[in-house]
Amino acid sequence: MTHILAIDQGTTSTRAILFDGDLRPVTSAQQEFAQHFPRSGWVEHDANEILDSVLATAREAIDRAGIAPSDIAGIGITNQRETTVVWDRDTGEPVHNAIVWQDRRTADYCRELREAGFEETITSRTGLLIDPYFSATKLRWILENVDGARARAQAGKLAFGTIDSWLIWKLTGGKAHLTDATNAARTMLYDIAKGRWSRTICDRLDVPMDMLPEVRDCAADFGMAQSDLLGAEIAILGVAGDQQAACVGQACFKPGMLKSTYGTGCFALLNTGDQMVRSEHRLLSTIAYQLDGKVTYALEGSIFVAGAVVQWLRDGLHIIEAASQTQTLAESADPNQELIIVPAFTGLGAPYWEAESRGAVFGLTRNSGPAEFARAALESVGFQTRDLLAAMQADWADDAPPTLRVDGGMTASDWAMQFLADILGAPVDRPEVLETTALGAAWLAGHKAGIYPDQEAFAKSWALERTFTPQMPEHVREARYARWQKAVKATIAAI
């Protein structure tokens, strides 16, 4: 057995990447799936369609490699986090569409919890803030709004899981109801200090604990994928939420190391070691990874819209046909225009946490066109990243600008990465392997299978493709960031 299959189940598409014994990607396959927006601020997926995309891409990647499924030593799963699925234990069918992490339908209930003074309890146990982003209130919504769901849940007939748990259940034929510590940590139900589900929180949200999966290390035995699905029985040996998998894939194993992933959203994680840092700047304390029963913590900042703002240019405004066009447009934008897009399409994430905010555009002129919109869209990601890193530095008590390791689709744009370095005033390192999320999942599974090296050796294999260093004069950087902050304040004030 010489290969590892990494399943990267994202928000808008699923990818399967086959890695060889030297952790090199051999083949891959990708498939987009439908996004459902039943109401303003609501986002859903068809969980069965997600499963179908996983099976289709996995089979395609294996076929392209020309290997037998029995040559695969293990499967690593990484997934969009917080997205919530509830299914019937007997039939294996979801009782409702999956409610996506971007969904804001529970904003009113979250406000009630905060006004009742429950946020301190949530934060002290889970490291999170009360927000519709997380799984707990989505789960409660399903129990409250799907006919018969609460009664069936109380009778032990329903199971809850994030996407990793759903896939594990289906791949193992319903034999395994499991998750890993990183995904559990994103539900707003898991005590990350004690390493167990919180009965206090479950009782307050009226969530039956029998619905919850068993929590394991990121590299562990998660059951066997059935032979009729992928052509052979294959062990599932690695699981991590997408941002934590990217942290592993970037080899951010030492305290103080920082990575930021640019996919649909943007997520920055700062390794804080065995210390769970309590943020004073509305960041999240979370689990970076858990190996051999030992937890490594992180500070996290979450931006809801990064690559999604480019998708909006393509699918909403129809001013581009492909994401790659944004760089050429940005380069041609009128330097005298100062268009700012605050992409709060589904609210603002860290450090603002304004669920009711919606997107806004500032600085429009009669001459504003596709080039200016493209530049403002890319710049919005850099501005939001600076918001996160400023808060992280304050919490971590480190004045030195950190070197940021980046990954994800948007990092292929040299223009976007140069602006990121400019607005941060700090170096940005882009690795040779941009798909570090899948790489992290592959390493977890391959390390468990015994075919990949330990953390230290894996970290040495991390390879730099390019460093972007700041070129923007400081007075320009600070003036531009001040305009961004003013635009964000105006967006929040418009609620």
Side-chain angles (χ1 to χ4, degrees):
M1 293 184 180
T2 56
H3 289 71
I4 293 292
L5 175 64
I7 295 170
D8 183 356
Q9 203 301 293
T11 306
T12 58
S13 69
T14 297
R15 284 173 296 180
I17 303 178
L18 205 61
F19 290 83
D20 66 14
D22 294 318
L23 255 177
R24 294 175 302 200
V26 177
T27 59
S28 65
Q30 183 168 355
Q31 184 177 112
E32 292 190 359
F33 53 88
Q35 310 290 303
H36 302 280
F37 307 99
R39 297 185 191 177
S40 175
W42 291 27
V43 190
E44 296 180 355
H45 292 157
D46 182 333
N48 280 319
E49 186 180 0
I50 287 177
L51 173 65
D52 291 343
S53 70
V54 166
L55 296 176
T57 54
R59 291 165 183 159
E60 184 178 345
I62 294 169
D63 289 344
R64 287 180 178 177
I67 66 170
S70 57
D71 290 334
I72 299 173
I75 296 172
I77 296 175
T78 182
N79 56 284
Q80 53 169 313
R81 305 171 305 170
E82 297 95 19
T83 296
T84 298
V85 188
V86 175
W87 65 92
D88 187 288
R89 291 183 181 273
D90 293 329
T91 67
E93 287 299 308
V95 303
H96 190 273
N97 272 351
I99 302 181
V100 181
W101 58 272
Q102 298 164 309
D103 190 281
R104 315 304 287 172
R105 75 187 65 189
T106 63
D108 288 344
Y109 179 62
C110 288
R111 187 182 306 107
E112 291 175 15
L113 290 174
R114 286 193 296 270
E115 290 174 352
F118 198 60
E119 187 158 64
E120 183 178 349
T121 299
I122 291 285
T123 301
S124 65
R125 287 166 169 76
T126 70
L128 309 178
L129 301 171
I130 293 178
D131 191 84
Y133 174 30
F134 305 108
S135 312
T137 57
K138 303 179 196 298
L139 169 55
R140 180 186 178 274
W141 187 94
I142 290 174
L143 294 178
E144 292 291 318
N145 290 275
V146 174
D147 287 345
R150 180 163 295 286
R152 291 162 67 192
Q154 291 171 340
K157 295 185 178 298
L158 299 185
F160 152 78
T162 42
I163 293 296
D164 59 306
S165 294
W166 164 247
L167 294 177
I168 291 167
W169 178 280
K170 299 301 284 188
L171 290 172
T172 62
K175 294 179 181 177
H177 186 204
L178 303 169
T179 190
D180 84 294
T182 68
N183 277 294
R186 312 300 298 188
T187 61
M188 212 172 79
L189 297 170
Y190 189 71
D191 189 321
I192 64 173
K194 295 181 178 178
R196 67 190 186 198
W197 299 112
S198 169
R199 181 171 294 280
T200 298
I201 300 173
C202 288
D203 287 349
R204 179 65 176 80
L205 271 62
D206 202 12
V207 170
M209 296 187 73
D210 288 345
M211 298 183 70
L212 309 180
E214 178 186 334
V215 182
R216 295 191 174 176
D217 285 351
C218 299
D221 177 7
F222 291 92
M224 301 290 289
Q226 293 184 306
S227 59
D228 62 329
L229 298 178
L230 299 176
E233 280 198 337
I234 306 173
I236 304 169
L237 298 175
V239 175
D242 52 10
Q243 305 313 316
Q244 282 86 350
C247 184
V248 171
Q250 288 277 34
C252 291
F253 294 134
K254 295 181 179 179
M257 295 187 74
L258 175 67
K259 76 89 197 175
S260 188
T261 299
Y262 298 91
T264 301
C266 165
F267 303 87
L269 264 73
L270 174 71
N271 185 322
T272 62
D274 58 6
Q275 179 185 6
M276 184 170 63
V277 175
R278 303 287 186 181
S279 176
E280 296 181 3
H281 298 85
R282 297 183 66 75
L283 298 176
L284 307 176
S285 303
T286 194
I287 294 175
Y289 49 85
Q290 180 173 308
L291 298 171
D292 299 321
K294 181 182 178 182
V295 175
T296 296
Y297 294 99
L299 276 175
E300 177 175 331
S302 308
I303 297 169
F304 298 151
V305 175
V309 72
V310 176
Q311 289 179 320
W312 171 65
L313 297 181
R314 183 192 68 186
D315 303 334
L317 299 185
H318 302 289
I319 64 176
I320 60 171
E321 294 181 354
S324 58
Q325 294 175 272
T326 55
Q327 174 156 324
T328 302
L329 283 171
E331 290 171 344
S332 67
D334 181 355
N336 295 315
Q337 292 198 50
E338 296 184 323
L339 200 68
I340 292 179
I341 296 174
V342 181
F345 302 147
T346 55
L348 286 168
Y352 306 105
W353 296 107
E354 292 287 351
E356 300 300 323
S357 290
R358 291 297 178 263
V361 180
F362 297 89
L364 275 174
T365 71
R366 179 64 180 82
N367 294 322
S368 299
E372 289 70 37
F373 269 82
R375 183 183 65 187
L378 296 180
E379 288 180 344
S380 73
V381 178
F383 287 129
Q384 290 178 97
T385 304
R386 176 162 171 176
D387 288 340
L388 298 183
L389 266 59
M392 283 184 172
Q393 285 180 264
D395 282 330
W396 189 241
D398 188 351
D399 294 330
T403 296
L404 178 65
R405 289 186 173 182
V406 297
D407 56 83
M410 288 192 74
T411 60
S413 168
D414 290 352
W415 193 96
M417 293 302 98
Q418 183 59 54
F419 179 77
L420 180 60
D422 284 341
I423 204 64
L424 295 180
V428 171
D429 282 353
R430 184 170 66 189
E432 287 186 357
V433 179
L434 294 182
E435 301 302 337
T436 53
T437 302
L439 179 65
W443 179 79
L444 289 169
H447 180 56
K448 180 65 177 177
I451 67 171
Y452 291 159
D454 61 13
Q455 287 174 258
E456 184 176 354
F458 174 62
K460 289 179 180 178
S461 70
W462 185 90
L464 175 70
E465 184 265 334
R466 179 176 173 182
T467 295
F468 296 86
T469 56
Q471 304 295 325
M472 184 181 290
E474 184 176 0
H475 72 279
V476 176
R477 172 168 50 249
E478 296 309 315
R480 297 208 62 194
Y481 185 59
R483 289 191 72 251
W484 163 260
Q485 291 179 303
K486 186 177 180 181
V488 170
K489 289 179 181 177
T491 301
I492 294 173
I495 298 173

